[in-house]
Amino acid sequence: MTALLLALVAGAVVGLALGGLGGGGSVLAVPALIYLLGLTPAEATTAALVIVTLTSVTALVGHARDGNVSWRTGLLFAAAGIVPAMIAGAAAGHLPQAVLTAAFSVVAALAALRMLRPARTGATGTVRPAKAGAAGAGLGAVTGFLGVGGGFLAVPALVGVLSLPMRRAVGTSLLVITVNSLAALGARAGTGTQLDWAVVAPFTAAAILGAWDGKRLSKKIKGQALQRLFACVLLAVAALMLLDALL
């Protein structure tokens, strides 16, 4: 019962962040699965991909209804990350647990620092295909390797590189996350990692419900205040994970 309750609470928090911020919630999914629910880093990153994929699809539907998804731009951006996501996903299953934990802590810290920076409202410059492709490939690699959706990287890239307005970038990032997560899951299918569905299923269900609430919450609370609070929590989690990997 305790594990079920923890899975529901953690899933709800992840969903709220993903639905409200368009990314970042998945970065909390992995440490929650490791430290609260007892999964290994390899199991947690694979489970996080399942959770992120299903939650992102749910949040994507809501943003698509509001007209905040650039389908062509998002699919082209995601296409650049499919192969890197598959390669990184296959490689992650063969690395030591401490390496995965340390790498994840660094990415989580970078995500938090990115959230603390002032948000850009949009870009009007020329889209550079080479830079867009490199950003998409890098995002795919991070998704495959660490089991995170990468929305904290996708949103600023879609704004700064592909000139999307912020609201549309948030919706489009969910499309990119979904495609990359599916590619990474496909690569991990043959690694032999077993998932505890008694934990993953309620975690995912709570995250899906939380994503809907997060979208509504984002309209009532100032986005910057919510983002700063989440970033501070994420920095603390990153520091604890790094200490755990090094000690």
Side-chain angles (χ1 to χ4, degrees):
M1 181 60 72
T2 302
L4 175 61
L5 181 60
L6 287 173
L8 290 172
V9 172
V13 172
V14 168
L16 281 170
L18 194 59
L21 303 175
S26 58
V27 185
L28 273 186
V30 172
L33 290 166
I34 293 174
Y35 297 108
L36 295 181
L37 298 166
L39 275 64
T40 67
E43 292 169 344
T45 52
T46 302
L49 284 171
V50 175
I51 295 163
V52 168
T53 299
L54 296 176
T55 308
S56 296
V57 169
T58 302
L60 176 63
V61 170
H63 283 276
R65 286 176 179 172
D66 293 341
N68 291 327
V69 179
S70 296
W71 294 95
R72 182 174 179 274
T73 299
L75 288 172
L76 289 174
F77 190 84
I82 290 176
V83 173
M86 294 181 71
I87 294 173
H94 303 288
L95 292 175
Q97 308 293 340
V99 172
L100 279 177
T101 303
F104 191 92
S105 68
V106 172
V107 170
L110 291 175
L113 293 174
R114 167 67 71 177
M115 290 178 184
L116 288 171
R117 291 175 58 184
R120 297 175 64 178
T121 57
T124 57
T126 303
V127 175
R128 287 166 285 186
K131 190 173 181 180
L139 177 62
V142 170
T143 300
F145 188 62
L146 297 176
V148 299
F152 63 91
L153 296 174
V155 171
L158 290 167
V159 171
V161 179
L162 298 182
S163 304
L164 293 184
M166 177 59 74
R167 188 174 294 275
R168 186 162 287 242
V170 169
T172 305
S173 75
L174 293 165
L175 173 61
V176 177
I177 290 167
T178 300
V179 174
N180 285 339
S181 297
L182 284 171
L185 270 175
R188 292 194 183 207
T191 61
T193 302
Q194 300 296 319
L195 295 181
D196 184 354
W197 289 104
V199 169
V200 176
F203 196 116
T204 304
I208 289 173
L209 293 175
W212 286 104
D213 290 335
K215 186 175 179 296
R216 290 196 294 267
L217 185 65
S218 67
K219 297 178 180 179
K220 300 178 181 179
I221 300 178
K222 288 184 178 180
Q224 289 186 349
L226 190 63
Q227 193 162 294
R228 288 194 187 104
L229 174 62
F230 186 82
C232 291
V233 173
L234 198 54
L235 273 176
V237 171
L240 291 173
M241 291 188 74
L242 185 59
L243 285 173
D244 182 49
L246 296 176
L247 297 178

